[in-house]
Amino acid sequence: MTLPPEPSRTVAPAWEAEGSVRSNEHRIRTLPCWAGGVSIEPLHGGISNESYLVTDSAGRHVVRFGRDFPFHHVSREREIMTARAAHAAGFAPEVQYAEPGIMVTAFIGARTYCAQDVRANRERIALLLRRFHTEMPQHVSGAGFMFWVFHVIRDYARTLEAGGSRMAAELPGYLSLAEELEQAQTALPVIFGHNDLLPANILDDGSRLWLIDFEYAGFSTAMFDLAGAASNAGMTEQESEDFLSAYFGGQPSADLLRSHAAMQCASLLREAMWSMVSELHLAATGVDYVAYTAENLSRLADALERYRLAYGKS
């Protein structure tokens, strides 16, 4: 099957995604944060946590249902902390209420980006990411979460091996590739990354850009966000170079260009292995994880071919 365009990666498991809309609406109505009566409308268009648009006398709000996914390193408590920090820093809508399994945020009347929008606004997005990366550490709290894609890949391999994945025979090759791509990374300062830069996680209200969905946010290398945004939007080589130039404030060096190309491959490998792990642990209605795995492996093969043509095999 074809997945919905620009999905969020965190997919609710069967026991959540197949929950009754009526029971979800009942839970929403009983939340203590509303001003008067509410109207409730499901929000569609992704394969992420179930979300609803709720209107009360104070305005419009977004309600998101979600649970911890330890196999994907997702903690909702950490996500809520990050969303609050991102609002304090001026990057995200306000978190108006939260309790286990639910987060309520202010609704922003903004356009959700698609891949073409990201490519067309790549310099604006680069500057947004530069500020997010450098300003967020002043606002996040609690234990520091480190997102290092090569650790994620290695941990996914352990999860897949333990779970008897149909892809188990391919894991040594994936790990060898990850090691090669990790060695191609150039040293950069530690920053606080979003780490899930699908186009749909960028909003434009006509005057400014916003970021949403912080399941994977944490301390990282800027290169993962830069590579993920470029790869997910299908940027050309020239567009990627423009993107890096805007972020770094000048023409990127040969080492940065190679690091970026390698990280795009790593990003696609991680996405494919995310889907393989989801095959074992998630069962969202209407989502074909096997097809999504194949799609990302195909994209990885194309990106790796370009990388090897440009830089060879180390």
Side-chain angles (χ1 to χ4, degrees):
M1 66 167 281
T2 301
L3 291 176
E6 315 299 350
S8 289
R9 291 183 175 87
T10 305
V11 182
W15 38 261
E16 185 176 350
E18 295 175 0
S20 165
V21 171
R22 181 177 299 178
S23 66
N24 286 343
E25 292 190 0
H26 173 74
R27 189 174 179 191
I28 289 171
R29 292 183 189 280
T30 61
L31 295 176
C33 55
W34 309 126
V38 300
S39 63
I40 303 171
E41 178 184 348
L43 290 175
H44 303 290
I47 56 174
S48 184
N49 315 289
E50 292 177 288
S51 297
Y52 295 80
L53 176 63
V54 177
T55 305
D56 67 1
S57 61
R60 292 190 290 178
H61 322 265
V62 175
V63 178
R64 285 162 50 96
F65 289 84
R67 302 193 183 183
D68 291 352
F69 297 148
F71 43 85
H72 281 319
H73 305 175
V74 170
S75 161
R76 298 303 170 185
E77 182 178 358
R78 189 180 68 240
E79 177 191 6
I80 291 168
M81 177 279 294
T82 306
R84 285 176 168 149
H87 170 68
F91 296 104
E94 180 185 8
V95 178
Q96 299 171 320
Y97 178 80
E99 64 179 52
I102 292 183
M103 179 168 63
V104 180
T105 60
F107 175 81
I108 295 177
R111 181 165 57 92
T112 301
Y113 267 7
C114 65
Q116 182 178 351
D117 294 318
V118 174
R119 295 195 301 272
N121 291 274
R122 57 191 178 275
E123 294 183 2
R124 291 178 69 201
I125 294 169
L127 296 178
L128 173 72
L129 292 179
R130 178 86 179 185
R131 289 197 304 108
F132 184 85
H133 288 165
T134 57
E135 295 176 18
M136 279 294 289
Q138 303 170 39
H139 299 275
V140 297
S141 59
F145 171 70
M146 185 75 185
F147 181 98
W148 182 245
V149 65
F150 303 103
H151 165 71
V152 174
I153 289 169
R154 288 188 283 267
D155 198 54
Y156 275 169
R158 286 187 283 268
T159 300
L160 292 166
E161 181 72 30
S165 169
R166 66 185 179 88
M167 304 297 291
E170 305 299 325
L171 296 179
Y174 297 155
L175 291 172
S176 177
L177 174 59
E179 182 177 356
E180 174 190 349
L181 300 172
E182 186 172 20
Q183 290 175 353
Q185 295 308 302
T186 192
L188 291 172
V190 173
I191 53 83
F192 191 89
H194 183 283
N195 302 321
D196 195 17
L197 281 176
L198 294 163
N201 286 338
I202 304 171
L203 307 180
D204 190 337
D205 68 6
S207 61
R208 56 164 294 185
L209 300 178
W210 301 79
L211 293 172
I212 59 171
D213 294 354
F214 300 101
E215 292 97 332
Y216 300 97
F219 291 95
S220 186
T221 169
M223 196 56 74
F224 186 76
D225 272 350
L226 295 170
S231 177
N232 291 324
M235 289 187 192
T236 65
E237 183 176 337
Q238 184 59 57
E239 288 169 341
S240 292
E241 191 166 328
D242 295 341
F243 188 47
L244 293 177
S245 295
Y247 182 91
F248 289 106
Q251 180 69 24
S253 66
D255 285 345
L256 281 174
L257 290 173
R258 178 173 184 172
S259 177
H260 187 248
M263 190 64 91
Q264 289 190 62
C265 296
S267 175
L268 289 167
L269 176 58
R270 180 261 180 184
E271 187 72 1
M273 295 180 74
W274 177 95
S275 188
M276 295 172 202
V277 170
S278 297
E279 290 179 31
L280 298 178
H281 293 284
L282 302 181
T285 303
V287 179
D288 187 340
Y289 298 107
V290 173
Y292 192 52
T293 297
E295 175 189 335
N296 281 285
L297 288 175
S298 176
R299 294 180 64 203
L300 170 61
D302 291 342
L304 188 58
E305 181 179 12
R306 293 191 298 272
Y307 175 75
R308 293 267 169 77
L309 283 174
Y311 300 106
K313 183 176 180 179
S314 58

